Amino acid sequence: ARARPLQRSPRAHGLRWAQHPPMMAARSGHQSQRGSPVTLNVYDVEVSCEIFVLNRALRPLGSGAFHVGVEVIGREWSFQGTKAAITGVFCSRPRECDGYHYVESVPMGLTRLSEGAILKLIETLEAEWPGRKYNPMYNNCAHFCQRLCELLGVCNCMPKWVIQLAATGRDLVEIKDHAKAAIDEMGCV
């Protein structure tokens, strides 16, 4: 996969939230008495013809290589790996994440948290999700989005087709590790 430009949260740039007003997208809902809408935005994991074709072939089978972000209060939050000792949490305009091709949005529910509470929550997650801890099978953008949705008080069940490829990869690695341990225990070469 080609390298994507790093997008950092305003905090990672040393900016205060007060200096960064919400990026209200045309389709973003404003907070009502019932709450603010939370949406999972899904992207092809890379902008290439091969990934586009692969995902269109795998989707009917319940799988694919996807990047995801959670849209709330006019911003989209996600997680990516970094080599530097900084957070992997980043913010982008909804449905416009650099380096990815937008596919679709999945409504996750309404959060009753205020904008201020959501921003405090993101600040906490920035510390808990360093970019160096990114792992495509065990600690990726879907895991981050699942945790964020849980903390927002909405459905935290990622669509299976979004997480299936990483889960299959994880299962294969674990099967290989268990088989190797069993072979080592038996003394086989």
Side-chain angles (χ1 to χ4, degrees), residues 63-141:
S63 192
F66 299 104
H67 169 75
V68 291
V70 172
E71 178 182 347
V72 64
I73 61 171
R75 298 175 176 98
E76 183 175 304
W77 302 97
S78 192
F79 175 70
Q80 66 185 4
T82 62
K83 290 183 181 179
I86 60 173
T87 184
V89 176
F90 68 96
C91 179
S92 63
R93 292 187 181 278
R95 299 168 302 282
E96 295 181 17
C97 190
D98 286 345
Y100 302 102
H101 175 259
Y102 171 75
V103 175
E104 71 180 84
S105 296
V106 179
M108 301 300 282
L110 297 173
T111 182
R112 293 184 179 269
L113 296 180
S114 68
E115 181 173 340
I118 292 168
L119 295 176
K120 287 269 190 206
L121 174 65
I122 294 297
E123 190 174 318
T124 300
L125 290 173
E126 285 178 334
E128 293 176 2
W129 289 80
R132 288 185 171 176
K133 298 281 184 164
Y134 179 89
N135 180 293
M137 292 177 283
Y138 295 96
N139 203 43
N140 63 34
C141 59

Side-chain angles (χ1 to χ4, degrees), residues 135-167:
N135 180 293
M137 292 177 283
Y138 295 96
N139 203 43
N140 63 34
C141 59
H143 298 110
F144 170 80
C145 290
Q146 186 171 14
R147 179 70 176 141
L148 177 54
C149 285
E150 177 184 327
L151 295 171
L152 290 170
V154 297
C155 175
N156 67 345
C157 48
M158 295 289 109
K160 190 170 183 179
W161 56 271
V162 169
I163 59 173
Q164 188 60 41
L165 191 62

Side-chain angles (χ1 to χ4, degrees), residues 10-69:
R11 180 179 157 86
H13 285 291
L15 301 174
R16 298 188 53 97
W17 287 111
Q19 297 169 326
H20 258 344
M23 298 177 279
M24 297 308 293
R27 292 190 288 175
S28 293
H30 297 282
Q31 183 165 357
S32 69
Q33 289 180 344
R34 296 181 347 182
S36 296
V38 178
T39 305
L40 183 72
N41 292 326
V42 182
Y43 301 82
D44 288 326
V45 78
E46 178 178 299
V47 180
S48 74
C49 187
E50 295 84 3
I51 293 295
F52 178 85
V53 171
L54 174 72
N55 280 345
R56 295 322 164 272
L58 290 176
R59 177 70 189 273
L61 303 173
S63 192
F66 299 104
H67 169 75
V68 291

